[in-house]
């Protein structure tokens, strides 16, 4: 079946622009996660949804970052007034949501802020 | 705070040789543990996972990992490496009653012929 998809795959933004990154999880997956992967590092947790409820946003680096999942399926990560330090790969993952579930990752969106 | 450490940034092995990638964790309780592989331009692919029970876990592509509580380790092994195994490997942990994964910094595997 279809995996997690993300769009766009690549995004170049000028400093100060707003960007929106989309994630389509695996159908039927309750849980959805966003991670940020800086160059040469492992992914770092940003935020977590269970259905449409954002249950954990402790990893969002600033109030410029905002995520939503209004209908409990597709999610959008929005970054306002982008800065150069926002350049990274943004990964989305989804899972069924049980205690012993596995997160399945999308290919990521590479964001470059000039 | 929970942490996952991968001590080796780069490892080079010859094709056909055995492989061991190290992973150590620091958690209050025994975490769930995972190994993912990431090829250039690709997403993270799950190789194997440990939740409980048998401490030797078999995964895809001929990989296995052994959970050792006494050493707080979850090392990944493969008896004979193929050139196609060249990629970056990430160890990750999760609290049993939590949700978010905590990743190590990754180990880049290079395979020489």
């Amino acid at each position: 079946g279809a995996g997690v998809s993300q769009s766009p795959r690549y995004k170049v933004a000028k400093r100060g622009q707003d960007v929106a990154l989309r994630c389509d999880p695996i159908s039927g997956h309750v849980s959805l996660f966003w991670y940020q992967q800086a160059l040469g590092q492992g992914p770092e947790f940003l935020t977590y949804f269970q259905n449409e409820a954002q249950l954990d946003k402790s990893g969002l680096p600033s109030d410029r970052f905002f995520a939503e999942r209004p209908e409990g399926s597709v999610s959008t990560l929005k970054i306002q007034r982008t800065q150069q330090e926002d350049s990274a790969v943004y990964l989305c993952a989804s899972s069924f949501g049980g205690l012993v579930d596995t997160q399945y990752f999308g290919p990521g969106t590479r964001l470059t802020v000039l | 705070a929970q942490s996952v450490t991968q001590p080796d940034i780069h490892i080079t092995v010859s094709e056909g040789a055995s492989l061991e990638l190290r992973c150590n964790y620091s958690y209050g309780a025994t975490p769930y543990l995972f190994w993912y592989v990431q090829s250039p331009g690709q997403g993270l692919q799950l190789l194997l996972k440990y939740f409980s029970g048998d401490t030797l876990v078999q995964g895809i592509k001929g990989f296995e990992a052994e959970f050792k509580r006494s050493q707080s380790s979850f090392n990944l092994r493969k008896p004979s490496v193929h050139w196609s195994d060249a990629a970056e490997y990430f160890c990750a942990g999760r609290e049993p009653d939590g949700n978010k994964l905590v990743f190590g910094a990754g180990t880049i595997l290079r395979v020489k012929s």
Side-chain angles (χ1 to χ4, degrees):
Chain A
V4 178
S5 61
Q6 294 185 244
S7 60
R9 291 292 310 277
Y10 302 91
K11 177 69 178 178
V12 178
K14 293 183 179 179
R15 193 162 63 98
Q17 283 185 331
D18 298 348
V19 298
L21 312 180
R22 177 187 170 106
C23 172
D24 283 84
I26 294 172
S27 178
H29 277 194
V30 169
S31 298
L32 185 145
F33 304 81
W34 284 98
Y35 292 84
Q36 180 191 59
Q37 186 176 18
L39 188 64
Q41 299 186 22
E44 292 192 359
F45 171 81
L46 292 177
T47 187
Y48 156 63
F49 290 85
Q50 184 171 313
N51 294 308
E52 68 279 4
Q54 189 174 20
L55 299 186
D56 187 345
K57 54 182 181 179
S58 62
L60 295 177
S62 77
D63 59 7
R64 296 185 295 104
F65 287 71
F66 172 77
E68 61 183 4
R69 194 186 185 198
E71 297 178 359
S73 179
V74 170
S75 177
T76 303
L77 176 67
K78 298 179 179 178
I79 309 174
Q80 297 177 325
R81 304 181 303 281
T82 53
Q83 304 294 316
Q84 284 190 321
E85 61 263 28
D86 300 334
S87 295
V89 175
Y90 290 85
L91 297 168
C92 176
S94 70
S95 71
F96 281 113
L99 286 178
V100 291
D101 63 348
T102 299
Q103 293 180 27
Y104 296 90
F105 283 80
T109 294
R110 180 177 296 278
L111 173 64
T112 302
V113 182
L114 303 176
Chain B
Q2 306 95 338
S3 67
V4 174
T5 303
Q6 294 179 248
D8 304 304
I9 299 174
H10 294 94
I11 281 187
T12 300
V13 299
S14 298
E15 191 170 15
S18 63
L19 170 70
E20 182 169 30
L21 302 182
R22 295 185 292 165
C23 173
N24 295 94
Y25 64 88
S26 175
Y27 275 79
T30 300
Y32 294 161
L33 295 162
F34 307 81
W35 275 99
Y36 285 86
V37 61
Q38 187 176 43
S39 299
Q42 303 295 315
L44 292 162
Q45 181 183 22
L46 180 69
L47 288 175
L48 47 78
K49 57 191 176 185
Y50 171 77
F51 289 142
S52 65
D54 193 347
T55 56
L56 185 62
V57 180
Q58 302 297 321
I60 63 172
K61 304 184 179 185
F63 285 93
E64 67 177 26
E66 186 170 13
F67 170 70
K68 292 186 177 180
R69 185 190 307 273
S70 62
Q71 298 177 21
S72 298
S73 69
F74 187 58
N75 294 349
L76 182 71
R77 300 193 295 246
K78 186 170 185 177
S80 178
V81 169
H82 188 263
W83 65 266
S84 60
D85 293 324
E88 189 161 17
Y89 292 79
F90 291 94
C91 182
R94 202 195 89 199
E95 290 182 324
D97 58 351
N99 290 287
K100 62 184 179 185
L101 291 172
V102 174
F103 285 85
T107 298
I108 297 172
L109 173 65
R110 187 169 75 93
V111 180
K112 59 181 182 181
S113 55

